[in-house]
Amino acid sequence: MSASPLNRSGTGAALRHVLGHLVTPLLMCVGMGLAYLGAFHAPEPHQLRVDVVGSGPSAQVLAQTLHDKGAGALDVRTVADREEARSQLRDREIYGAYVPGAKPELMVATAGSDTTATVVEKVFTGLAAEQGAPLAVTDVAPVAKGDPTGQGLFFLLVALSIGSYASVAVIGGAGAVLPLRLRALLAVGMSLVVSAIGAVFAGPLFHLVDQGLAGVWAMSWLYSAGILLIGVGLHTFLKRWTTLGVMVLFVMLNFTSSGGIFRPELQSGFFAALHSFWNGAGFIEGARGHVYFDGNGVGRSVLVLTLWFVAGLAVMGVAGLSEAAGRRRADSTVPAGRSAAVGSAEPVGSAESGRSAKSVESESESESVEEEMEEAVGV
């Protein structure tokens, strides 16, 4: 027995509906592959700044030899003494300092980037081996005991990001009927909750940081609030594409340029350029500077996070103007007097039909909201 034309039509519409929604995960797949593989699949040093300690001709020759041999991979200079090298490492101006001699020593700062320190150590271990001497490695800025890989702050960034952009789908979708001002308050409130959870992760639960937890929490809040305000504001314009939009901004481009896994000196120029002003990099570098480097560079990182927060306020403002203009257009399409007259003369059957239509429309909107929230990763 063949299916009726009505059933075939319904099946076709449902299939088109599903296929239309499958575009989003396919775009996510392509975007994540391009971003993550483009950023992480082949890290190589580019102008990685290291120093040779010494002021004599031998130190100059060694520095020049390493610089030339690196063919652009290393930027090698000399410093007068070990203390100056240590100071530059603490200021995050260099990533390694080699002290030549009968007992060669390499100074690194793993808290600045464990992967960068590993690359530097590999270079100078080979050099020491050529000279027939074992290399002693001194870490002038070690990571916390609870973060042996030095990547705990990056995974904290991931948790903060997912909690923030997934909340955007809920506030923008399920809360679409609420006034924009109330949605903004919900966004700020959620950022406080997400950042508080992050502080628990970083401190008492996993001990990712040994000190400066209050500062890490403050930067977590500023970071999360920026994402939520931008995302909720964009929802006014992007609707069901908001999830994809915030994933591009705060996952694909954000995680890959943050410096949490590889610093920009080990990445391509594109991600290195993003690192200078993207919000994830602002959080990672700000937290590192605050916890491990006596506040070095924190001011600039906080400025980056603040500018993203201000951008969120600006997007919310534009969204408010757009929604207000939309309401004015809707009000002007049906004059109040005519609407009242039509309403008073409307037959009972028509009123019931109107209520039924509204019910169907409400159900449709509810399904759309559920689909949008289901598309958000982590929800």
Side-chain angles (χ1 to χ4, degrees), residues 10-304:
T11 300
L15 182 59
R16 287 192 297 273
H17 179 75
V18 172
L19 292 175
H21 279 73
L22 285 175
V23 171
T24 300
L26 288 176
L27 290 175
M28 289 180 179
C29 175
V30 172
M32 294 288 278
L34 289 174
Y36 274 74
L37 293 175
F40 297 149
H41 85 289
E44 292 181 350
H46 304 280
Q47 295 298 315
L48 186 64
R49 176 71 194 281
V50 295
D51 282 349
V52 172
V53 178
S55 55
S58 60
Q60 294 284 351
V61 170
L62 177 58
Q64 189 62 49
T65 302
L66 287 170
H67 186 92
D68 295 342
K69 187 177 179 180
L74 301 177
D75 179 10
V76 189
R77 307 180 194 182
T78 60
V79 291
D81 53 46
R82 189 177 183 280
E83 190 56 37
E84 184 180 349
R86 184 182 185 280
S87 177
Q88 291 200 46
L89 279 166
R90 294 289 305 174
D91 291 340
R92 295 195 284 178
E93 295 179 5
I94 63 174
Y95 303 100
Y98 181 70
V99 185
K103 296 181 179 179
E105 176 190 15
L106 175 66
M107 301 168 65
V108 294
T110 56
S113 172
D114 184 73
T115 52
T116 301
T118 300
V119 169
V120 173
E121 186 175 343
K122 182 177 180 180
V123 170
F124 286 101
T125 297
L127 177 63
E130 291 176 3
Q131 298 173 348
L135 180 68
V137 179
T138 302
D139 191 351
V140 303
V143 294
K145 292 181 180 179
D147 184 20
T149 66
Q151 296 176 6
L153 289 175
F154 172 75
F155 293 112
L156 175 62
L157 173 77
V158 172
L160 294 171
S161 303
I162 291 178
S164 301
Y165 79 72
S167 298
V168 167
V170 178
I171 297 173
V177 296
L178 298 174
L180 187 65
R181 182 177 299 178
L182 187 51
R183 276 178 276 158
L185 289 175
L186 285 172
V188 173
M190 276 303 298
S191 68
L192 288 169
V193 175
V194 168
S195 61
I197 293 173
V200 172
F201 287 161
L205 191 55
F206 294 110
H207 304 286
L208 302 178
V209 299
D210 293 331
Q211 59 182 353
L213 183 59
V216 172
W217 167 80
M219 284 183 274
S220 299
W221 172 77
L222 198 55
Y223 171 78
S224 176
I227 293 176
L228 272 151
L229 289 173
I230 290 174
V232 172
L234 286 178
H235 189 273
T236 297
F237 309 101
L238 300 181
K239 304 301 182 186
R240 64 176 288 259
W241 297 104
T242 304
T243 295
L244 180 60
V246 295
M247 281 196 71
V248 171
L249 289 174
F250 304 121
V251 175
M252 298 176 191
L253 299 179
N254 189 27
F255 294 172
T256 51
S257 65
S258 68
I261 301 296
F262 297 113
R263 277 192 52 81
E265 293 80 11
L266 300 180
Q267 295 184 298
S268 67
F270 174 74
F271 294 102
L274 290 183
H275 181 85
S276 64
F277 64 92
W278 219 256
N279 61 340
F283 173 77
I284 291 289
E285 299 300 346
R288 283 173 173 167
H290 174 66
V291 175
Y292 298 117
F293 295 96
D294 304 320
N296 177 266
V298 170
R300 186 186 182 284
S301 297
V302 170
L303 175 61
V304 168

